[in-house]
């Protein structure tokens, strides 16, 4: 394969979500990865990747390949993953890269699946891990973490050498998948510390196309330009908020188009009142994100319920505001691995002790949950990713402009929120008439004016809750009040936006009130008009599988709950989760009549319950836990030991006036109950 054709192939792979064969035997050409102020550039072609966070050590190794494939099917073109230090060196000097801690095996799978990787190597990761991922022994030895203390940097150097043994031969320059790495996380000190981490890594042998850091909070002193690309984030809600009210904090700002890249709501329990200010020089980099909320965890004191519209709206707003890389945190949930000590963040740990998180569960309400199960926004986001894949080269050089008000108050319903991206001749209109937990009204009399094109022909109404993108002068379409989804084999696919009359101008010809005919019937020339459901599943091979009636488990209650525990307030002024001993007073249920080991594949145990905290045990061993927020607790039966015959469920009751935020969907009646326990197929 000639180099110029391979270059185009690789660029299309990254922007079209296709597989890359890294350094094949046929051609040893390594795709050149560069960046400028606008975007990533792969062998001279601009791309707008979709990056999805998955924590390899929070998943069993036999699930890695299927998980990576599901991410690809969802439109992810870059994988990001933390390397948690205390997952691999819990005890000083004893590194464990076995089983689900085997980073090299995970990277080899990514290589085989054609998935580039961004490693987030710490030493501090956070990720709601114990001490943010830093081992207890660092603190026990009196070492000052996240500083240029020689003792700390020496320990980091040993960590980085170990990580290098896992990636050696798998870096991008070797034809491997490791394209970039991030140093530390959410660091607010002097840039010299981050540069020291990079210096250590490069001396060991790290040699990657680019390096990253989180662009929040503002650094005390900057990193020299070009050394690390700052990446940003935004969330629809945050478990870290001290408030137990529904719409606390500045999260509403994430639903407004604006030129300011960062968030003033992330880590608000630590960073307090944050100003809309970037580190000097950061605006010269391309606008990338690494922590766009694909969902949200629940802490003990705050348990948000995230909706599909939350994640989709955030993504469209970021894209419309100028971002050319959407990185989701999380895209795939997980489970904390087995360990001698609990690996979750709590207020009782030595560091990063701001919130109490579940012991095992890290589902995050992500597009792909803890057991790889797709939630509705997996499909909703997918149609946006198809657009980015097929039109990334067109979109990437376009500048964002903001004709609508930007700095608006929470729930402000006075005007339509929209933004333009254009190169002067063509462009896109990004529309967001949605804000979490606010019922925005329909906006009447709407027309847009972009690139000299005023459309539609008559003013329209944008229904409340609408989030969409309209094209102008793209692929022969002068304008459309429908969303471009994909272009394959010369065929153009558009989504009909519910509640908005579809009008498509093809120059002299204008199609009005078009109706969605699906992906197999043209509405004009080479254009297909799809429903939202069809757009979300376009090109997805949904196999028809016979649904067999599942044997249902038997449930018995063996013990009533004892007296209520005293809910304490921790050192960081949030309610503390129960300790192991508290579950001696829990209500106890037995779950039996489980499928045989060979019949458990792709079967989820679904526990619909009401209570404070639920824990699931197998042969006395804790295997799952859940902070109740109204949604059922799930468990993948294929993870059970082969000889498992029954499970034990322990539930602590809800109490009156708990210092906890519950969403409106949760039944907070004091007490506990098991409403229903069923077996359901895990969607593929």
């Amino acid at each position: 394969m000639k180099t110029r054709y391979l270059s185009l192939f690789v660029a299309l792979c990254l922007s079209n979500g296709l597989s890359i064969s890294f350094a094949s035997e046929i051609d040893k050409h390594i795709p050149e990865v560069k960046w400028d102020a606008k975007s990533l550039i792969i062998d001279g072609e601009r791309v707008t990747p979709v990056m999805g966070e998955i924590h390899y050590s929070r998943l069993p190794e036999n699930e890695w390949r299927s998980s990576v494939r599901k991410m690809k099917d969802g439109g992810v073109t870059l994988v990001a993953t933390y390397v948690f230090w205390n997952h691999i060196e819990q005890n000083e000097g004893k590194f464990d890269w076995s089983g689900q801690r085997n980073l090299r095996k995970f990277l080899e799978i990514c290589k085989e699946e054609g998935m580039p990787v961004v490693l987030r190597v710490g030493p501090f990761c956070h990720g709601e891990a114990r001490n943010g991922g830093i081992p207890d022994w660092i603190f026990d030895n009196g070492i000052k973490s996240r500083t240029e203390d020689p003792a700390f940097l020496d320990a980091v150097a040993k960590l980085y050498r170990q990580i290098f043994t896992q990636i050696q031969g798998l870096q991008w320059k070797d034809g491997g998948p490791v394209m970039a790495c991030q140093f530390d996380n959410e660091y607010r000190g002097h840039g010299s510390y981050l540069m020291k981490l990079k210096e250590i890594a490069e001396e060991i042998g790290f040699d990657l196309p680019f390096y990253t850091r989180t662009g929040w909070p503002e650094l005390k002193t900057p990193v020299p330009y070009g050394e690390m690309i700052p990446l940003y984030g935004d969330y629809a809600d945050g478990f870290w908020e001290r408030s137990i009210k529904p719409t606390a904090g500045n999260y509403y700002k994430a639903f407004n188009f604006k030129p300011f890249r960062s968030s003033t709501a992330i880590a608000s329990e630590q960073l307090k009142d944050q100003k809309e200010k970037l580190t000097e020089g950061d605006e010269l980099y391309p606008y990338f994100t690494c922590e766009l909320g694909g969902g949200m965890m629940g802490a003990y004191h705050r348990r948000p319920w995230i909706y599909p519209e939350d994640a989709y709206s955030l993504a469209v707003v970021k894209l419309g505001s100028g971002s050319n890389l959407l990185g989701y945190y999380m895209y795939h949930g997980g489970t904390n691995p087995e360990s001698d000590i609990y690996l979750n963040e709590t207020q009782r740990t030595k560091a990063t002790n701001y919130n109490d998180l579940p012991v095992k569960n890290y589902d995050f309400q992500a597009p792909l949950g803890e057991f790889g199960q797709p939630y509705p926004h997996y499909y909703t986001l997918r149609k946006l990713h198809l657009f980015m894949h097929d039109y990334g080269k067109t979109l990437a050089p376009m500048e964002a402009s903001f004709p609508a008000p930007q700095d608006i108050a929470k729930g402000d319903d006075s005007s339509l929120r929209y933004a333009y991206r254009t190169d002067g001749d063509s462009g896109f209109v990004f529309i967001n008439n949605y804000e979490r937990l606010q019922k925005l009204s329909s906006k009447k009399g709407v027309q847009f004016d972009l690139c000299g094109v005023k459309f539609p022909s008559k003013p329209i109404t944008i229904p409340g809750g609408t989030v969409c993108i309209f094209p102008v002068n793209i692929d022969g379409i002068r304008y459309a009040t429908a969303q471009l989804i994909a272009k394959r084999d010369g065929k153009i696919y558009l989504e009909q936006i519910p509640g908005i009359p579809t009008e498509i101008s093809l120059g002299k010809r204008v199609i009005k009130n078009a109706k969605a005919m699906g992906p197999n019937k043209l509405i004009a020339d080479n254009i297909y008009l799809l429903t939202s459901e069809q757009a979300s599943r376009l090109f997805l091979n949904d196999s028809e599988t016979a649904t067999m009636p599942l044997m249902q488990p038997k449930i018995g209650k063996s013990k009533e709950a004892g007296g209520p525990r005293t809910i304490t307030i921790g050192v960081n002024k949030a309610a503390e989760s129960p300790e192991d001993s508290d579950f001696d007073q829990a209500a106890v249920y037995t779950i039996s009549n489980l499928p045989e080991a060979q019949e458990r594949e792709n079967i989820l145990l679904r526990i619909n319950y009401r209570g404070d905290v639920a824990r699931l045990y197998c042969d006395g061993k804790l295997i799952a836990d859940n902070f109740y927020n109204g949604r059922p607790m799930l468990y993948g039966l294929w993870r059970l030991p082969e000889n498992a015959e029954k499970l034990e469920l322990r539930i602590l009751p809800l109490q009156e006036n708990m210092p906890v935020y519950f969403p409106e969907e949760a039944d907070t009646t004091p007490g506990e109950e098991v409403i229903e326990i069923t077996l359901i197929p895990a969607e593929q």
Side-chain angles (χ1 to χ4, degrees), residues 425-436:
D425 297 319
S426 59
F428 297 96
V429 180
F430 292 80
I431 300 165
N432 179 48
N433 198 19
Y434 176 85
E435 183 181 322
R436 173 175 165 80

Side-chain angles (χ1 to χ4, degrees), residues 99-116:
Q100 70 187 81
R101 293 167 167 84
N102 190 339
L103 174 60
R104 187 171 190 85
K105 182 175 179 180
F106 176 76
L107 295 176
E108 287 171 342
I109 287 173
C110 288
K111 177 180 178 178
E112 292 163 5
E113 296 297 328
M115 184 69 84

Side-chain angles (χ1 to χ4, degrees), residues 84-132:
F84 291 110
W85 189 355
N86 58 5
H87 285 196
I88 57 174
E89 194 189 6
Q90 182 179 315
N91 299 306
E92 185 175 3
K94 297 180 180 178
F95 284 89
D96 181 3
W97 295 106
S98 64
Q100 70 187 81
R101 293 167 167 84
N102 190 339
L103 174 60
R104 187 171 190 85
K105 182 175 179 180
F106 176 76
L107 295 176
E108 287 171 342
I109 287 173
C110 288
K111 177 180 178 178
E112 292 163 5
E113 296 297 328
M115 184 69 84
V117 176
V118 177
L119 279 182
R120 305 175 85 183
V121 297
F124 173 79
C125 295
H126 201 185
E128 292 66 69
R130 182 185 182 96
N131 305 329

Side-chain angles (χ1 to χ4, degrees), residues 156-344:
V156 170
K158 292 175 182 176
L159 168 69
Y160 283 6
R161 286 191 194 97
Q162 281 285 323
I163 294 175
F164 187 71
T165 67
Q166 301 293 299
I167 73 166
Q168 194 166 15
L170 294 173
Q171 296 188 89
W172 192 261
K173 69 184 181 70
D174 306 315
V178 184
M179 180 183 282
C181 80
Q182 174 188 304
F183 298 112
D184 213 84
N185 189 62
E186 296 180 345
Y187 179 71
R188 53 178 159 170
H190 294 281
S192 59
Y193 164 71
L194 296 175
M195 285 303 300
K196 195 66 181 177
L197 297 179
K198 183 178 181 182
E199 178 185 321
I200 291 169
E202 290 186 327
E203 286 177 354
I204 290 168
F206 284 76
D207 184 8
L208 300 169
F210 64 97
Y211 300 87
T212 72
R213 63 178 175 85
T214 42
W216 76 93
E218 182 187 8
L219 292 172
K220 289 181 179 177
T221 56
V223 167
Y225 178 77
E227 297 287 352
M228 301 173 197
I229 301 175
L231 275 60
Y232 302 96
D234 245 330
Y235 290 92
D237 203 333
F239 65 78
W240 48 79
E241 280 296 329
R242 299 298 92 172
S243 171
I244 57 173
K245 295 182 179 179
T247 56
N250 289 337
Y251 303 94
Y252 70 93
K253 292 186 176 183
F255 299 95
N256 301 340
F257 295 100
K258 58 185 184 297
F260 179 65
R261 300 181 176 192
S262 197
S263 169
T264 58
I266 297 178
S268 58
E269 88 279 35
Q270 304 170 54
L271 305 177
K272 308 305 178 186
D273 293 331
Q274 302 173 65
K275 307 299 180 184
E276 291 194 355
K277 186 179 180 182
L278 301 178
T279 302
E280 185 177 354
D282 282 5
E283 73 283 355
L284 302 176
Y285 290 92
Y287 183 4
F288 294 164
T289 69
C290 62
E291 289 202 16
L292 191 61
M296 179 51 57
M297 270 305 294
Y300 182 76
H301 75 279
R302 186 171 180 83
R303 313 178 189 186
W305 179 308
I306 300 299
Y307 308 101
E309 297 83 2
D310 292 341
Y312 189 65
S313 175
L314 286 180
V316 169
V317 166
K318 281 296 181 192
L319 203 62
S321 297
S323 181
N324 279 333
L325 186 156
L326 295 186
Y328 295 97
Y329 189 101
M330 297 287 295
Y331 189 85
H332 194 308
T335 309
N336 287 327
E338 292 299 312
S339 172
D340 294 338
I341 57 175
Y342 287 160
L343 291 173
N344 57 314

Side-chain angles (χ1 to χ4, degrees), residues 485-546:
I485 299 298
K487 180 181 180 180
R488 306 284 170 93
D489 301 322
K491 301 173 182 177
I492 296 173
Y493 299 88
L494 293 143
E495 174 193 1
Q496 184 166 48
I497 306 303
I500 297 179
T502 299
E503 183 172 302
I504 304 172
S505 172
L506 303 174
K508 294 182 180 180
R509 182 185 177 194
V510 178
I511 304 171
K512 296 184 178 182
N513 297 313
K515 302 298 180 185
M517 305 295 287
N520 299 313
K521 189 170 183 179
L522 292 164
I523 63 163
D525 301 334
N526 59 340
I527 296 174
Y528 297 83
L529 188 61
L530 316 177
T531 65
S532 296
E533 176 69 14
Q534 290 167 340
S536 296
R537 293 179 177 269
L538 185 64
F539 311 133
L540 194 60
N541 294 322
D542 289 328
S543 57
E544 292 291 333
T545 56

Side-chain angles (χ1 to χ4, degrees), residues 305 610 628-631 654 662-669:
W305 179 308
R610 175 175 57 86
Y628 172 73
N629 77 340
R631 281 185 164 146
L654 292 162
F662 291 98
E664 62 182 7
E665 290 84 358
D667 179 356
T668 57
T669 304

Side-chain angles (χ1 to χ4, degrees), residues 14 28 33 69 123 146 241 430 486 506 513-514 516 648 660 668:
L14 266 183
K28 293 294 184 181
V33 178
R69 287 178 176 175
R146 305 180 75 191
E241 280 296 329
F430 292 80
L506 303 174
N513 297 313
E648 182 178 275
V660 171
T668 57

